[in-house]
């Protein structure tokens, strides 16, 4: 389950309140469970098959045409260069849709109303950041994320940078399991 922090209000949300709280800012959030148990290191095709019902449903709703699986870990060549493309405030001409299979990630959303939200995602979390939404992304301390991505047109997923440097005001802090055990 994701952990949401509304940074301007110093407020943290978990559990059932997440979906409605994110919807206010235009962000879709769902929890998916696979059609059958599957290891998080299974081949990509098996991962896509296990979630084919949810993927097809999302394609229908959002006009996505392709889905793939991205796998990033500390041994990924060029990891820092890759991350440096996305840890500054930017937007895309396409939705950014991720379903997390393994690892962790931290999305910051700069909402149209000025609020900045930190969304820490983990396995089972589906997040959809609509096109044009200002955001940036960091990995957590495990430096690992495996995720299903959906695209309307992969060419549209190039980042456009705002160069606002607003991201520099927010430390990318992941809470992880320690924080969850404190709140549950
Ligand atoms: Fe992005």
């Amino acid at each position: 389950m994701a952990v949401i922090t509304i940074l301007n209000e110093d407020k943290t949300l978990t559990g059932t309140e997440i979906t409605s709280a994110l919807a206010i800012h235009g962000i879709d959030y769902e929890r998916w469970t696979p059609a059958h148990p599957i290891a998080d290191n299974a081949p990509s095709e098996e991962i896509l098959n296990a979630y084919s019902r949810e993927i097809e449903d999302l394609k229908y709703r959002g006009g996505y045409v392709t889905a793939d699986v991205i796998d990033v870990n500390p041994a990924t060549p060029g990891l820092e260069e890759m991350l440096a493309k996305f840890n500054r405030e930017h937007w895309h001409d396409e939705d950014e849709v991720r379903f997390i299979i393994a690892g962790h990630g931290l999305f910051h959303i700069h909402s149209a109303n000025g609020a900045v939200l930190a969304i820490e995602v983990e396995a089972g979390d589906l997040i959809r950041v609509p096109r044009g939404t200002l955001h940036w992304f960091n990995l957590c301390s495990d430096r690992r994320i495996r995720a299903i991505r959906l695209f309307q047109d992969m060419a549209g997923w190039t980042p456009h940078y705002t160069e606002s440097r607003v991201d520099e005001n927010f430390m990318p802090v992941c809470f992880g399991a320690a924080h969850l055990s404190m709140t549950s």
Side-chain angles (χ1 to χ4, degrees), residues 90 92 96 135:
H90 65 274
H92 307 278
E96 185 163 330
H135 67 281

Side-chain angles (χ1 to χ4, degrees), residues 36-168:
H36 52 82
I38 185 161
D40 64 11
N41 61 353
S44 297
E45 277 309 308
E46 290 181 24
I47 295 283
L48 293 170
N49 283 337
Y51 294 96
S52 60
R53 188 177 60 80
E54 289 83 357
I55 290 169
E56 290 308 311
D57 181 53
L58 207 53
K59 281 182 177 176
Y60 177 75
R61 285 191 277 150
Y64 309 108
V65 294
T66 59
D68 70 2
V69 178
I70 185 173
D71 210 329
V72 170
N73 61 65
T76 299
L79 177 60
E80 294 309 319
E81 292 80 359
M82 184 194 306
L83 294 174
K85 286 187 191 173
F86 302 115
N87 67 5
R88 294 182 282 141
E89 187 179 62
H90 65 274
W91 79 94
H92 307 278
D93 297 322
E94 293 286 309
D95 297 350
E96 185 163 330
V97 187
R98 300 289 181 272
F99 173 73
I100 314 305
I101 302 293
H104 298 83
L106 186 66
F107 287 88
H108 277 84
I109 306 293
H110 190 179
S111 177
N113 75 359
V116 175
L117 304 117
I119 306 172
E120 183 179 334
V121 292
E122 63 174 10
D125 291 329
L126 178 282
I127 182 169
R128 187 180 74 94
V129 180
R131 65 182 72 185
T133 304
L134 303 184
H135 67 281
W136 60 97
F137 177 82
N138 296 88
L139 285 180
C140 296
S141 57
D142 56 2
R143 314 294 282 165
R144 164 114 171 93
I145 197 157
R146 190 175 195 210
I148 296 174
R149 308 185 294 182
L150 286 103
F151 298 98
Q152 289 146 326
D153 173 357
M154 287 176 86
W157 199 63
T158 308
H160 304 294
Y161 299 104
T162 64
E163 307 296 356
S164 70
R165 303 179 74 168
V166 68
D167 45 274
E168 295 176 4

Side-chain angles (χ1 to χ4, degrees), residues 5-12:
T5 310
I6 303 173
L7 295 156
N8 316 52
E9 301 172 20
D10 206 17
K11 192 161 124 187
T12 300

